[in-house]
Amino acid sequence: MTRPKQQHYVAKAYLDGFVAPGANQLVCYARNGKLFPRRTQDIAKERNFYAFKDERGEWDDSLEKIIERTVETPGLPVLQQLAKATTRLNWDERKAVALLVAFQEMRTPASLQRTIDYTKAMTERLLRYVRAANPTQETIDLVGKDGKENIVCRVNPNKFEHSAPAT
């Protein structure tokens, strides 16, 4: 069975709500200000955006499935109801659409990059504190599930050096 490699960071069903009646494409704006048409299945996606390789080196798509089951499946039908302006929402529907809207802010490439940048900055700050507390400490070691000690990173006051734990 082939797995989907292109994963949307804006749900296709959400994008479909912006397609004009009778049309099959959206009109998009390029960064240079020019307009171009695209089908919703061809925008707001990246290769393996939610996928990661597991310990066997195989692609794991479980995160995308969790998002679909817990965020999109409950929230998108409520959003479609709201678009029709024919309903009042109960509390469960309100929670579902609130989660969908909040999660959408967090699932973009820009948000992912911010998270990576913040994590790197906080790690470097932590390592500076470790170095200040013990200037002779050369590494930070972790003990894995197997009981073996793994060097996780070398403490260098000028540069963060990281190595993945041995598997």
Side-chain angles (χ1 to χ4, degrees):
M1 182 172 117
T2 61
R3 54 176 287 277
K5 293 179 184 92
Q6 295 293 331
Q7 299 169 339
H8 281 88
Y9 50 85
V10 176
K12 180 188 173 306
Y14 178 79
L15 294 168
D16 287 341
F18 292 95
V19 176
N24 64 356
Q25 295 182 328
L26 287 172
V27 176
C28 304
Y29 287 93
R31 288 192 173 102
N32 63 9
K34 293 185 178 179
L35 302 176
F36 62 96
R38 283 291 185 272
R39 298 176 307 160
T40 55
Q41 61 263 33
D42 297 330
I43 59 174
K45 65 181 183 175
E46 282 193 17
R47 186 174 182 87
N48 298 316
F49 189 69
Y50 301 109
F52 54 91
K53 291 203 174 181
D54 64 16
E55 58 276 353
R56 296 181 312 267
E58 296 174 11
W59 285 108
D60 183 332
D61 294 308
S62 59
L63 180 57
E64 184 177 35
K65 292 173 182 154
I66 291 169
I67 294 167
E68 181 180 2
R69 185 180 72 247
T70 61
V71 178
E72 293 177 351
T73 298
L76 287 168
V78 178
L79 195 61
Q80 291 163 346
Q81 282 180 302
L82 283 172
K84 294 176 185 171
T86 59
T87 187
R88 288 182 54 114
L89 301 182
N90 64 37
W91 285 106
D92 287 337
E93 292 167 329
R94 289 176 189 204
K95 286 191 297 186
V97 79
L99 179 61
L100 180 72
V101 170
F103 193 76
Q104 182 55 56
E105 170 61 26
M106 301 307 297
R107 70 187 290 191
T108 63
S111 180
L112 176 60
Q113 188 59 53
R114 277 193 307 271
T115 301
I116 291 167
D117 293 345
Y118 293 153
T119 301
K120 183 178 179 191
M122 291 303 295
T123 302
E124 289 173 349
R125 184 176 183 183
L126 175 65
L127 291 175
R128 282 194 302 274
Y129 289 153
V130 168
R131 186 59 148 172
N134 183 354
T136 63
Q137 184 169 345
E138 296 293 326
T139 64
I140 296 177
D141 304 331
L142 295 180
V143 175
K145 291 180 186 177
D146 59 2
K148 294 180 183 175
E149 194 171 278
N150 297 302
I151 295 175
V152 176
C153 62
R154 300 217 175 275
V155 179
N156 179 328
N158 301 317
K159 182 180 177 192
F160 170 63
E161 299 174 28
H162 177 268
S163 62
T167 55

